[in-house]
Amino acid sequence: MEKIVSLCKRRGFVFQSSEIYGGLNGCWDYGPLGVELRRNLKDFWWRRMVRERDDIVGLDGSILMNRQVWVASGHESTFSDPMVDCRNCKSRLRADQLPEKNGQKQCPVCGSFDLTEPRAFNLMFKTFVGATEDDSSIAYLRPETAQAIFVQFRNVLEVSRKKLPFGIAQIGKAFRNEINPRNFIFRSREFEMMELEYFCFPHQGLELLEYWLKERLRFFNDIGLSSDKLHVHSIPAEERAHYSQGTYDIEFEFPFGIQELEGIAYRTDFDLSQHQKFSGKPLDYFDEETKSHLIPHVVEPSVGVDRAMLALLCAAYDEETVTDEKGKSETRTVLRLHPRMAPIKCGVFPLLKNNEELVKKAKEVVEMLRGEMSVFYDETGAIGRRYRRQDEAGTPFGITVDFDTIGENGPANRDTVTVRYRDSMEQKRLAIADIPAFLREQIT
Ligand code: ATP
Protein backbone atom coordinates (compact mmCIF):
# COMPACT_ATOMS: atom_id res chain seq x y z
CA MET A 1 0.00 0.00 0.00
CA GLU A 2 2.80 2.43 0.87
CA LYS A 3 4.20 2.15 -2.64
CA ILE A 4 0.78 2.73 -4.20
CA VAL A 5 0.07 5.75 -1.97
CA SER A 6 3.46 7.19 -2.81
CA LEU A 7 2.99 6.67 -6.55
CA CYS A 8 -0.47 8.27 -6.35
CA LYS A 9 1.00 11.40 -4.82
CA ARG A 10 4.15 11.52 -6.96
CA ARG A 11 2.25 11.15 -10.22
CA GLY A 12 -0.81 13.20 -9.31
CA PHE A 13 -3.54 10.61 -8.85
CA VAL A 14 -4.47 11.45 -5.26
CA PHE A 15 -3.50 14.26 -2.86
CA GLN A 16 -4.45 14.76 0.76
CA SER A 17 -7.29 17.31 0.96
CA SER A 18 -6.20 20.76 2.30
CA GLU A 19 -2.66 19.37 2.53
CA ILE A 20 -0.89 22.69 3.19
CA TYR A 21 -3.05 23.13 6.32
CA GLY A 22 -2.32 19.65 7.62
CA GLY A 23 -5.11 17.89 5.75
CA LEU A 24 -8.61 16.86 6.79
CA ASN A 25 -8.96 13.26 7.89
CA GLY A 26 -11.00 11.13 5.49
CA CYS A 27 -10.98 13.62 2.61
CA TRP A 28 -8.94 13.43 -0.61
CA ASP A 29 -8.36 15.46 -3.74
CA TYR A 30 -7.85 13.89 -7.14
CA GLY A 31 -5.04 15.29 -9.28
CA PRO A 32 -4.68 15.45 -13.07
CA LEU A 33 -4.27 11.70 -13.60
CA GLY A 34 -6.73 10.75 -10.86
CA VAL A 35 -9.50 12.84 -12.30
CA GLU A 36 -9.10 11.21 -15.74
CA LEU A 37 -9.10 7.72 -14.24
CA ARG A 38 -12.29 8.47 -12.27
CA ARG A 39 -13.93 9.96 -15.32
CA ASN A 40 -13.16 6.84 -17.36
CA LEU A 41 -14.56 4.66 -14.59
CA LYS A 42 -17.76 6.67 -14.24
CA ASP A 43 -18.23 7.00 -18.00
CA PHE A 44 -17.86 3.27 -18.50
CA TRP A 45 -20.32 2.53 -15.67
CA TRP A 46 -22.80 4.97 -17.23
CA ARG A 47 -22.30 3.47 -20.67
CA ARG A 48 -22.87 -0.08 -19.38
CA MET A 49 -25.75 0.76 -17.06
CA VAL A 50 -27.62 3.43 -19.02
CA ARG A 51 -26.52 4.09 -22.61
CA GLU A 52 -26.25 0.49 -23.81
CA ARG A 53 -29.69 -0.47 -22.47
CA ASP A 54 -33.19 0.75 -23.00
CA ASP A 55 -34.54 -0.29 -19.59
CA ILE A 56 -32.46 2.10 -17.45
CA VAL A 57 -32.59 5.91 -17.24
CA GLY A 58 -30.52 8.40 -15.26
CA LEU A 59 -31.09 10.86 -12.43
CA ASP A 60 -28.94 13.48 -10.73
CA GLY A 61 -30.46 14.27 -7.34
CA SER A 62 -29.49 17.02 -4.93
CA ILE A 63 -27.13 16.31 -2.04
CA LEU A 64 -29.30 18.17 0.49
CA MET A 65 -32.82 16.81 0.79
CA ASN A 66 -35.85 17.28 2.99
CA ARG A 67 -35.09 15.84 6.43
CA GLN A 68 -38.17 13.61 6.25
CA VAL A 69 -36.43 11.56 3.53
CA TRP A 70 -33.96 10.34 6.16
CA VAL A 71 -36.66 9.79 8.75
CA ALA A 72 -38.59 7.58 6.31
CA SER A 73 -35.52 5.70 5.06
CA GLY A 74 -34.52 4.87 8.62
CA HIS A 75 -31.18 6.69 8.37
CA GLU A 76 -31.99 9.23 11.08
CA SER A 77 -32.71 6.57 13.67
CA THR A 78 -30.47 3.69 12.62
CA PHE A 79 -27.65 4.74 10.25
CA SER A 80 -24.99 4.38 12.89
CA ASP A 81 -21.89 2.42 13.79
CA PRO A 82 -21.09 1.24 17.32
CA MET A 83 -18.39 3.47 18.83
CA VAL A 84 -16.20 3.07 21.92
CA ASP A 85 -13.74 5.46 23.58
CA CYS A 86 -10.36 4.40 24.90
CA ARG A 87 -10.16 5.77 28.45
CA ASN A 88 -6.38 5.72 28.32
CA CYS A 89 -5.50 7.55 25.06
CA LYS A 90 -8.98 9.05 24.38
CA SER A 91 -9.16 7.58 20.85
CA ARG A 92 -12.64 7.10 19.38
CA LEU A 93 -12.87 3.67 17.77
CA ARG A 94 -15.34 1.59 15.80
CA ALA A 95 -16.39 -1.16 18.21
CA ASP A 96 -16.86 -3.82 15.51
CA GLN A 97 -13.34 -3.38 14.15
CA LEU A 98 -11.27 -3.70 17.34
CA PRO A 99 -8.44 -6.23 17.59
CA GLU A 100 -8.84 -8.80 20.37
CA LYS A 101 -6.27 -10.26 22.74
CA ASN A 102 -7.18 -13.26 24.89
CA GLY A 103 -10.85 -12.65 24.07
CA GLN A 104 -10.67 -9.02 25.22
CA LYS A 105 -11.12 -6.00 22.92
CA GLN A 106 -8.03 -3.85 22.73
CA CYS A 107 -7.30 -0.26 21.68
CA PRO A 108 -5.28 -0.45 18.42
CA VAL A 109 -3.65 2.93 19.18
CA CYS A 110 -2.20 2.46 22.69
CA GLY A 111 -2.92 -1.19 23.48
CA SER A 112 -5.10 -0.45 26.51
CA PHE A 113 -8.09 -2.67 27.42
CA ASP A 114 -9.83 0.16 29.27
CA LEU A 115 -12.62 0.88 26.78
CA THR A 116 -16.10 2.32 27.28
CA GLU A 117 -19.27 0.36 26.43
CA PRO A 118 -20.24 0.66 22.73
CA ARG A 119 -22.81 3.31 21.86
CA ALA A 120 -24.43 4.21 18.55
CA PHE A 121 -22.84 7.01 16.55
CA ASN A 122 -24.90 8.39 13.65
CA LEU A 123 -22.78 8.67 10.52
CA MET A 124 -24.75 11.44 8.80
CA PHE A 125 -23.23 14.93 8.63
CA LYS A 126 -25.72 17.42 10.01
CA THR A 127 -26.08 20.97 8.78
CA PHE A 128 -28.66 23.78 8.78
CA VAL A 129 -30.52 25.17 5.80
CA GLY A 130 -31.18 28.92 5.84
CA ALA A 131 -30.37 31.59 8.39
CA THR A 132 -31.73 29.96 11.53
CA GLU A 133 -29.95 27.15 13.30
CA ASP A 134 -32.69 25.21 15.05
CA ASP A 135 -34.44 21.85 14.82
CA SER A 136 -36.68 23.00 11.99
CA SER A 137 -33.74 23.80 9.70
CA ILE A 138 -31.74 20.59 10.18
CA ALA A 139 -30.60 18.89 6.99
CA TYR A 140 -28.11 16.13 6.29
CA LEU A 141 -25.48 15.64 3.63
CA ARG A 142 -26.75 12.49 1.93
CA PRO A 143 -24.96 9.31 3.06
CA GLU A 144 -25.99 7.53 -0.18
CA THR A 145 -27.49 8.62 -3.48
CA ALA A 146 -30.25 6.00 -3.62
CA GLN A 147 -32.92 7.88 -1.68
CA ALA A 148 -33.29 10.54 -4.39
CA ILE A 149 -34.16 7.72 -6.79
CA PHE A 150 -36.90 6.40 -4.50
CA VAL A 151 -38.48 9.77 -3.80
CA GLN A 152 -38.42 10.69 -7.53
CA PHE A 153 -39.74 7.27 -8.56
CA ARG A 154 -43.14 8.60 -9.63
CA ASN A 155 -41.76 11.54 -11.64
CA VAL A 156 -39.25 9.38 -13.48
CA LEU A 157 -41.85 6.68 -14.15
CA GLU A 158 -44.24 9.25 -15.64
CA VAL A 159 -41.74 11.00 -17.89
CA SER A 160 -39.90 7.89 -19.06
CA ARG A 161 -43.06 5.76 -19.48
CA LYS A 162 -41.03 2.66 -18.60
CA LYS A 163 -42.66 -0.65 -17.79
CA LEU A 164 -41.43 -3.02 -15.08
CA PRO A 165 -38.74 -4.18 -14.87
CA PHE A 166 -36.75 -0.95 -15.31
CA GLY A 167 -34.04 0.92 -13.48
CA ILE A 168 -32.89 4.38 -12.43
CA ALA A 169 -29.14 5.01 -12.21
CA GLN A 170 -27.23 7.75 -10.47
CA ILE A 171 -23.63 8.82 -9.82
CA GLY A 172 -22.89 11.36 -7.13
CA LYS A 173 -21.14 12.38 -3.94
CA ALA A 174 -22.06 10.88 -0.59
CA PHE A 175 -20.86 11.75 2.89
CA ARG A 176 -20.42 9.59 5.98
CA ASN A 177 -18.82 10.74 9.19
CA GLU A 178 -16.87 7.48 9.48
CA ILE A 179 -15.44 6.88 12.95
CA ASN A 180 -12.15 5.59 11.59
CA PRO A 181 -11.52 6.56 7.97
CA ARG A 182 -8.65 4.36 6.83
CA ASN A 183 -6.77 2.52 4.14
CA PHE A 184 -6.21 5.57 1.94
CA ILE A 185 -9.27 6.19 -0.26
CA PHE A 186 -10.92 2.87 0.71
CA ARG A 187 -12.96 4.39 3.53
CA SER A 188 -13.32 8.16 3.40
CA ARG A 189 -15.79 10.68 4.77
CA GLU A 190 -16.56 12.25 1.41
CA PHE A 191 -16.77 9.85 -1.53
CA GLU A 192 -18.66 9.18 -4.71
CA MET A 193 -21.15 6.41 -5.42
CA MET A 194 -22.54 4.75 -8.53
CA GLU A 195 -25.94 3.28 -7.73
CA LEU A 196 -28.67 1.56 -9.65
CA GLU A 197 -32.18 0.88 -8.36
CA TYR A 198 -33.70 -1.78 -10.59
CA PHE A 199 -37.46 -1.99 -10.03
CA CYS A 200 -39.34 -5.19 -10.74
CA PHE A 201 -42.36 -7.39 -9.95
CA PRO A 202 -42.02 -9.28 -6.64
CA HIS A 203 -41.62 -12.65 -8.35
CA GLN A 204 -38.62 -11.36 -10.36
CA GLY A 205 -36.55 -10.13 -7.40
CA LEU A 206 -34.44 -13.17 -6.58
CA GLU A 207 -33.72 -13.94 -10.22
CA LEU A 208 -32.69 -10.35 -10.87
CA LEU A 209 -30.38 -10.42 -7.86
CA GLU A 210 -28.47 -13.25 -9.58
CA TYR A 211 -28.60 -11.42 -12.92
CA TRP A 212 -27.11 -8.24 -11.45
CA LEU A 213 -24.41 -10.15 -9.63
CA LYS A 214 -23.28 -11.61 -12.97
CA GLU A 215 -23.57 -8.27 -14.76
CA ARG A 216 -21.50 -6.49 -12.15
CA LEU A 217 -18.80 -9.17 -12.19
CA ARG A 218 -18.67 -8.79 -15.96
CA PHE A 219 -18.25 -5.02 -15.49
CA PHE A 220 -15.31 -5.50 -13.14
CA ASN A 221 -13.66 -7.95 -15.55
CA ASP A 222 -14.13 -5.46 -18.38
CA ILE A 223 -12.33 -2.68 -16.50
CA GLY A 224 -9.37 -4.93 -15.80
CA LEU A 225 -10.09 -6.63 -12.46
CA SER A 226 -9.49 -10.33 -13.01
CA SER A 227 -11.83 -12.92 -11.54
CA ASP A 228 -9.12 -14.44 -9.34
CA LYS A 229 -8.97 -11.20 -7.29
CA LEU A 230 -12.75 -10.93 -6.94
CA HIS A 231 -14.81 -12.88 -4.41
CA VAL A 232 -18.53 -13.14 -3.94
CA HIS A 233 -19.79 -13.20 -0.38
CA SER A 234 -23.42 -14.12 0.15
CA ILE A 235 -24.60 -12.34 3.29
CA PRO A 236 -26.41 -14.78 5.61
CA ALA A 237 -30.01 -13.95 6.54
CA GLU A 238 -29.18 -13.04 10.15
CA GLU A 239 -26.69 -10.37 9.01
CA ARG A 240 -28.92 -8.82 6.34
CA ALA A 241 -31.25 -5.88 6.82
CA HIS A 242 -34.65 -7.22 7.90
CA TYR A 243 -36.30 -6.23 4.61
CA SER A 244 -33.63 -7.79 2.36
CA GLN A 245 -34.32 -11.19 0.81
CA GLY A 246 -30.77 -11.56 -0.46
CA THR A 247 -27.52 -9.59 -0.47
CA TYR A 248 -24.16 -10.21 -2.11
CA ASP A 249 -20.94 -8.39 -1.48
CA ILE A 250 -18.46 -8.40 -4.34
CA GLU A 251 -15.11 -8.35 -2.58
CA PHE A 252 -11.65 -7.55 -3.86
CA GLU A 253 -8.23 -8.67 -2.66
CA PHE A 254 -6.80 -5.35 -1.52
CA PRO A 255 -3.23 -5.37 -0.14
CA PHE A 256 -4.76 -4.90 3.35
CA GLY A 257 -7.15 -7.84 2.99
CA ILE A 258 -10.24 -9.06 1.18
CA GLN A 259 -12.79 -6.28 1.51
CA GLU A 260 -16.14 -5.15 0.09
CA LEU A 261 -16.01 -3.43 -3.28
CA GLU A 262 -19.72 -3.41 -4.14
CA GLY A 263 -22.94 -4.41 -2.42
CA ILE A 264 -25.88 -5.90 -4.37
CA ALA A 265 -29.05 -6.05 -2.32
CA TYR A 266 -32.56 -7.25 -3.04
CA ARG A 267 -34.41 -4.71 -0.89
CA THR A 268 -37.99 -5.90 -1.64
CA ASP A 269 -40.55 -3.05 -1.51
CA PHE A 270 -39.15 -1.55 1.69
CA ASP A 271 -37.93 1.83 0.37
CA LEU A 272 -40.91 2.78 -1.79
CA SER A 273 -43.34 1.59 0.90
CA GLN A 274 -41.63 3.69 3.55
CA HIS A 275 -41.69 6.84 1.41
CA GLN A 276 -45.32 6.26 0.44
CA LYS A 277 -46.20 5.88 4.10
CA PHE A 278 -44.26 8.92 5.33
CA SER A 279 -45.05 11.29 2.45
CA GLY A 280 -48.67 10.22 2.02
CA LYS A 281 -48.08 10.29 -1.77
CA PRO A 282 -48.69 7.22 -3.94
CA LEU A 283 -45.48 5.51 -5.13
CA ASP A 284 -47.14 2.52 -6.68
CA TYR A 285 -47.19 1.12 -10.19
CA PHE A 286 -50.19 0.23 -12.29
CA ASP A 287 -49.84 -3.08 -14.07
CA GLU A 288 -51.82 -2.90 -17.32
CA GLU A 289 -51.94 -6.66 -17.69
CA THR A 290 -53.54 -7.51 -14.37
CA LYS A 291 -55.18 -4.07 -13.97
CA SER A 292 -53.84 -3.86 -10.44
CA HIS A 293 -51.63 -1.53 -8.40
CA LEU A 294 -48.47 -2.72 -6.66
CA ILE A 295 -45.38 -1.34 -4.97
CA PRO A 296 -42.43 -2.51 -7.09
CA HIS A 297 -39.61 -4.48 -5.54
CA VAL A 298 -36.03 -3.34 -6.09
CA VAL A 299 -32.53 -4.77 -6.59
CA GLU A 300 -29.70 -2.35 -5.83
CA PRO A 301 -26.09 -2.68 -7.05
CA SER A 302 -24.11 0.03 -5.25
CA VAL A 303 -20.40 0.75 -5.62
CA GLY A 304 -18.01 3.50 -4.54
CA VAL A 305 -16.03 5.27 -7.28
CA ASP A 306 -13.10 5.80 -4.92
CA ARG A 307 -13.06 2.19 -3.78
CA ALA A 308 -13.24 0.89 -7.35
CA MET A 309 -10.45 3.30 -8.30
CA LEU A 310 -8.31 1.93 -5.47
CA ALA A 311 -8.99 -1.62 -6.65
CA LEU A 312 -7.89 -0.63 -10.17
CA LEU A 313 -4.68 0.93 -8.87
CA CYS A 314 -3.89 -2.05 -6.62
CA ALA A 315 -4.52 -4.55 -9.42
CA ALA A 316 -2.47 -2.52 -11.88
CA TYR A 317 0.61 -1.77 -9.75
CA ASP A 318 3.61 -3.83 -10.74
CA GLU A 319 7.37 -3.74 -10.43
CA GLU A 320 9.68 -5.75 -12.63
CA THR A 321 13.40 -5.98 -13.26
CA VAL A 322 14.41 -5.05 -16.78
CA THR A 323 17.80 -5.07 -18.46
CA ASP A 324 18.72 -2.37 -20.99
CA GLU A 325 20.87 -2.77 -24.14
CA LYS A 326 24.03 -2.12 -22.10
CA GLY A 327 23.20 -5.00 -19.77
CA LYS A 328 22.31 -2.75 -16.84
CA SER A 329 19.29 -3.92 -14.87
CA GLU A 330 16.82 -1.65 -13.12
CA THR A 331 13.38 -1.81 -11.56
CA ARG A 332 10.53 -0.73 -13.80
CA THR A 333 7.39 0.49 -12.05
CA VAL A 334 4.38 0.02 -14.28
CA LEU A 335 0.66 0.53 -13.84
CA ARG A 336 -0.97 -2.13 -15.96
CA LEU A 337 -4.32 -0.36 -16.20
CA HIS A 338 -6.79 -1.56 -18.81
CA PRO A 339 -6.48 0.82 -21.82
CA ARG A 340 -10.16 1.66 -21.28
CA MET A 341 -9.39 3.02 -17.83
CA ALA A 342 -5.94 4.52 -18.44
CA PRO A 343 -5.90 8.28 -17.73
CA ILE A 344 -3.68 8.94 -20.76
CA LYS A 345 -4.25 6.70 -23.76
CA CYS A 346 -1.00 7.38 -25.52
CA GLY A 347 2.24 9.31 -25.17
CA VAL A 348 3.64 10.99 -28.26
CA PHE A 349 7.39 11.54 -28.48
CA PRO A 350 9.66 13.11 -31.08
CA LEU A 351 12.91 11.16 -30.89
CA LEU A 352 14.87 14.41 -30.48
CA LYS A 353 13.54 17.75 -29.31
CA ASN A 354 16.02 19.86 -31.26
CA ASN A 355 14.95 18.56 -34.66
CA GLU A 356 12.24 20.80 -36.02
CA GLU A 357 10.83 18.28 -38.42
CA LEU A 358 10.49 15.53 -35.79
CA VAL A 359 8.80 17.96 -33.39
CA LYS A 360 6.43 19.24 -36.06
CA LYS A 361 5.40 15.73 -37.07
CA ALA A 362 4.90 14.62 -33.47
CA LYS A 363 2.69 17.63 -32.80
CA GLU A 364 0.63 16.78 -35.87
CA VAL A 365 0.05 13.30 -34.43
CA VAL A 366 -1.05 14.86 -31.12
CA GLU A 367 -3.50 17.17 -32.90
CA MET A 368 -4.92 14.26 -34.87
CA LEU A 369 -5.72 12.31 -31.69
CA ARG A 370 -6.68 15.11 -29.30
CA GLY A 371 -10.42 15.51 -28.95
CA GLU A 372 -10.96 11.83 -29.32
CA MET A 373 -8.75 10.73 -26.42
CA SER A 374 -6.32 12.05 -23.84
CA VAL A 375 -2.80 12.17 -25.23
CA PHE A 376 0.44 13.41 -23.70
CA TYR A 377 3.21 15.08 -25.64
CA ASP A 378 6.70 14.77 -24.15
CA GLU A 379 9.96 15.86 -25.75
CA THR A 380 12.25 16.11 -22.71
CA GLY A 381 14.90 13.59 -21.68
CA ALA A 382 16.12 10.35 -23.18
CA ILE A 383 13.43 8.33 -24.91
CA GLY A 384 13.81 5.48 -22.39
CA ARG A 385 13.12 7.89 -19.51
CA ARG A 386 10.03 9.21 -21.29
CA TYR A 387 8.71 5.67 -21.73
CA ARG A 388 9.28 4.97 -18.01
CA ARG A 389 7.37 8.08 -16.97
CA GLN A 390 4.38 6.92 -18.99
CA ASP A 391 4.71 3.34 -17.63
CA GLU A 392 4.21 4.78 -14.13
CA ALA A 393 1.19 6.77 -15.27
CA GLY A 394 -0.36 3.64 -16.79
CA THR A 395 -0.27 4.94 -20.39
CA PRO A 396 -0.79 1.82 -22.52
CA PHE A 397 0.82 3.05 -25.76
CA GLY A 398 3.78 5.20 -26.73
CA ILE A 399 4.17 6.64 -30.22
CA THR A 400 7.63 7.70 -31.31
CA VAL A 401 8.31 9.89 -34.31
CA ASP A 402 11.81 9.08 -35.57
CA PHE A 403 13.99 9.66 -38.63
CA ASP A 404 12.15 6.96 -40.57
CA THR A 405 8.92 8.89 -40.05
CA ILE A 406 10.29 11.96 -41.79
CA GLY A 407 11.73 9.91 -44.66
CA GLU A 408 15.43 10.34 -43.80
CA ASN A 409 16.08 6.62 -44.27
CA GLY A 410 14.26 6.35 -47.57
CA PRO A 411 10.62 6.52 -48.62
CA ALA A 412 9.58 3.04 -47.40
CA ASN A 413 8.84 4.04 -43.82
CA ARG A 414 7.85 7.66 -44.39
CA ASP A 415 4.80 8.63 -42.31
CA THR A 416 5.05 5.56 -40.12
CA VAL A 417 5.81 5.64 -36.39
CA THR A 418 6.80 3.09 -33.76
CA VAL A 419 4.10 2.06 -31.35
CA ARG A 420 5.40 0.76 -28.03
CA TYR A 421 3.23 -1.46 -25.83
CA ARG A 422 3.49 -0.56 -22.13
CA ASP A 423 3.05 -4.10 -20.83
CA SER A 424 5.37 -6.09 -23.09
CA MET A 425 7.58 -3.12 -24.13
CA GLU A 426 7.40 -4.57 -27.64
CA GLN A 427 7.39 -2.17 -30.55
CA LYS A 428 5.90 -2.26 -34.01
CA ARG A 429 5.67 0.15 -36.94
CA LEU A 430 2.35 1.55 -38.00
CA ALA A 431 1.30 4.12 -40.58
CA ILE A 432 0.24 7.38 -38.93
CA ALA A 433 -3.06 7.16 -40.78
CA ASP A 434 -3.81 3.83 -39.08
CA ILE A 435 -3.09 5.06 -35.54
CA PRO A 436 -6.58 6.40 -34.65
CA ALA A 437 -8.32 3.15 -35.61
CA PHE A 438 -5.67 1.08 -33.81
CA LEU A 439 -6.10 3.06 -30.57
CA ARG A 440 -9.88 3.23 -30.82
CA GLU A 441 -10.08 -0.52 -30.94
CA GLN A 442 -8.07 -0.85 -27.72
CA ILE A 443 -9.69 1.85 -25.61
CA THR A 444 -13.42 1.59 -26.26
P1 ATP B 1 -19.25 -0.60 5.59
O1 ATP B 1 -20.05 -1.68 6.25
O2 ATP B 1 -17.92 -1.05 5.06
O3 ATP B 1 -19.18 0.69 6.33
P2 ATP B 1 -21.52 -0.44 3.89
O4 ATP B 1 -21.77 -1.90 3.72
O5 ATP B 1 -22.33 0.38 4.79
O6 ATP B 1 -19.99 -0.22 4.22
P3 ATP B 1 -22.82 0.40 1.57
O7 ATP B 1 -23.76 1.28 2.25
O8 ATP B 1 -23.28 -0.93 1.07
O9 ATP B 1 -21.52 0.20 2.47
O10 ATP B 1 -22.13 1.23 0.40
C1 ATP B 1 -22.06 0.77 -0.92
C2 ATP B 1 -20.67 0.97 -1.49
O11 ATP B 1 -20.24 2.33 -1.29
C3 ATP B 1 -19.59 0.15 -0.80
O12 ATP B 1 -19.52 -1.15 -1.36
C4 ATP B 1 -18.35 0.95 -1.10
O13 ATP B 1 -17.87 0.68 -2.41
C5 ATP B 1 -18.85 2.39 -1.07
N1 ATP B 1 -18.59 3.02 0.24
C6 ATP B 1 -19.36 2.94 1.34
N2 ATP B 1 -18.83 3.65 2.35
C7 ATP B 1 -17.68 4.20 1.85
C8 ATP B 1 -16.67 5.05 2.40
N3 ATP B 1 -16.74 5.49 3.65
N4 ATP B 1 -15.65 5.41 1.60
C9 ATP B 1 -15.57 4.98 0.33
N5 ATP B 1 -16.48 4.19 -0.24
C10 ATP B 1 -17.53 3.80 0.51
Side-chain angles (χ1 to χ4, degrees):
M1 267 314 280
E2 254 168 54
K3 284 181 172 174
I4 293 168
V5 174
S6 144
L7 177 104
C8 281
K9 168 148 200 217
R10 188 169 76 243
R11 296 311 315 262
F13 281 94
V14 186
F15 304 123
Q16 194 182 13
S17 162
S18 355
E19 190 187 276
I20 62 168
Y21 289 102
L24 180 64
N25 200 2
C27 299
W28 302 93
D29 291 346
Y30 295 99
L33 291 182
V35 85
E36 291 289 342
L37 176 56
R38 292 168 72 76
R39 191 165 290 255
N40 293 338
L41 184 59
K42 289 188 276 181
D43 283 354
F44 189 63
W45 188 90
W46 197 258
R47 176 178 137 194
R48 261 295 151 77
M49 304 300 256
V50 183
R51 297 251 164 90
E52 288 181 356
R53 315 179 54 115
D54 63 8
D55 58 345
I56 300 181
V57 292
L59 181 75
D60 192 354
S62 63
I63 287 172
L64 297 172
M65 300 173 81
N66 189 306
R67 181 180 177 182
Q68 289 310 307
V69 170
W70 308 108
V71 175
S73 69
H75 282 81
E76 196 175 86
S77 55
T78 61
F79 191 62
S80 55
D81 278 337
M83 173 178 74
V84 297
D85 287 326
C86 171
R87 290 199 185 89
N88 183 45
C89 73
K90 312 289 178 234
S91 295
R92 296 228 130 141
L93 307 158
R94 208 166 127 170
D96 57 343
Q97 289 173 351
L98 292 175
E100 275 186 41
K101 202 168 169 187
N102 305 328
Q104 235 189 320
K105 304 254 190 215
Q106 190 179 26
C107 171
V109 181
C110 71
S112 165
F113 295 98
D114 192 6
L115 305 173
T116 61
E117 282 302 307
R119 60 197 183 283
F121 172 75
N122 194 296
L123 299 181
M124 286 198 293
F125 281 97
K126 204 185 256 183
T127 188
F128 300 94
V129 171
T132 44
E133 291 197 2
D134 58 26
D135 268 9
S136 67
S137 62
I138 287 178
Y140 299 103
L141 301 191
R142 65 181 180 197
E144 60 172 40
T145 68
Q147 296 306 319
I149 297 178
F150 297 126
V151 303
Q152 292 293 0
F153 172 75
R154 182 122 224 138
N155 280 334
V156 177
L157 178 66
E158 272 166 20
V159 298
S160 66
R161 299 169 57 226
K162 293 283 173 211
K163 299 270 173 278
L164 287 185
F166 78 94
I168 305 176
Q170 178 167 216
I171 300 178
K173 287 268 184 168
F175 303 82
R176 296 183 188 180
N177 198 1
E178 299 280 357
I179 299 167
N180 304 126
R182 68 203 160 99
N183 291 329
F184 196 33
I185 56 173
F186 176 83
R187 186 180 298 288
S188 18
R189 290 186 167 134
E190 171 175 342
F191 55 100
E192 204 163 2
M193 296 180 100
M194 304 189 280
E195 296 194 290
L196 166 70
E197 302 303 323
Y198 197 76
F199 300 99
C200 61
F201 290 106
H203 71 271
Q204 297 170 317
L206 285 171
E207 207 176 300
L208 282 167
L209 177 66
E210 300 303 318
Y211 167 81
W212 280 110
L213 173 65
K214 278 207 203 85
E215 264 306 282
R216 299 301 304 146
L217 288 168
R218 183 170 75 94
F219 171 88
F220 287 124
N221 288 158
D222 288 350
I223 61 171
L225 300 182
S226 63
S227 298
D228 58 319
K229 292 241 171 194
L230 294 167
H231 301 266
V232 176
H233 176 49
S234 173
I235 309 289
E238 62 275 15
E239 288 173 32
R240 292 198 296 262
H242 64 91
Y243 46 79
S244 173
Q245 276 185 26
T247 301
Y248 288 117
D249 281 353
I250 297 180
E251 300 174 327
F252 179 77
E253 281 180 33
F254 289 98
F256 43 85
I258 297 177
Q259 299 272 345
E260 175 180 336
L261 177 60
E262 165 154 349
I264 306 172
Y266 172 26
R267 303 175 58 89
T268 65
D269 62 356
F270 175 75
D271 308 273
L272 288 179
S273 300
Q274 285 290 102
H275 287 301
Q276 174 166 289
K277 188 165 124 198
F278 279 74
S279 68
K281 303 284 181 333
L283 291 175
D284 58 347
Y285 174 89
F286 181 68
D287 181 24
E288 311 264 347
E289 227 164 86
T290 59
K291 306 278 178 240
S292 61
H293 291 265
L294 74 144
I295 301 274
H297 279 213
V298 73
V299 176
E300 174 196 79
S302 164
V303 61
V305 175
D306 316 72
R307 210 172 269 192
M309 174 180 174
L310 183 61
L312 286 176
L313 289 166
C314 293
Y317 187 92
D318 194 16
E319 285 177 4
E320 63 178 11
T321 306
V322 289
T323 315
D324 66 13
E325 312 89 67
K326 294 175 198 140
K328 212 177 105 209
S329 50
E330 60 167 349
T331 305
R332 176 171 92 115
T333 302
V334 51
L335 274 189
R336 301 187 191 279
L337 290 169
H338 191 292
R340 220 175 238 153
M341 293 293 114
I344 301 167
K345 305 305 182 191
C346 93
V348 180
F349 319 110
L351 191 60
L352 298 174
K353 77 165 172 186
N354 52 12
N355 180 303
E356 241 177 67
E357 230 182 313
L358 290 177
V359 167
K360 183 165 166 274
K361 202 77 190 169
K363 288 190 173 164
E364 275 171 28
V365 173
V366 170
E367 285 314 312
M368 174 180 75
L369 298 172
R370 213 194 279 290
E372 196 174 344
M373 65 190 75
S374 55
V375 289
F376 187 79
Y377 174 80
D378 189 3
E379 57 178 28
T380 52
I383 191 74
R385 292 268 311 280
R386 285 183 262 168
Y387 287 152
R388 291 288 187 280
R389 283 203 287 263
Q390 291 308 309
D391 288 346
E392 268 198 352
T395 308
F397 305 103
I399 292 174
T400 305
V401 170
D402 57 18
F403 291 104
D404 280 5
T405 318
I406 56 174
E408 288 213 353
N409 300 324
N413 280 334
R414 180 182 273 280
D415 285 329
T416 65
V417 287
T418 61
V419 177
R420 173 188 180 266
Y421 289 77
R422 171 200 66 202
D423 292 344
S424 63
M425 296 188 288
E426 273 165 21
Q427 306 198 8
K428 68 171 181 185
R429 276 206 99 78
L430 260 188
I432 291 176
D434 293 336
I435 294 281
F438 165 79
L439 291 174
R440 219 174 279 138
E441 195 185 324
Q442 316 278 335
I443 65 175
T444 43

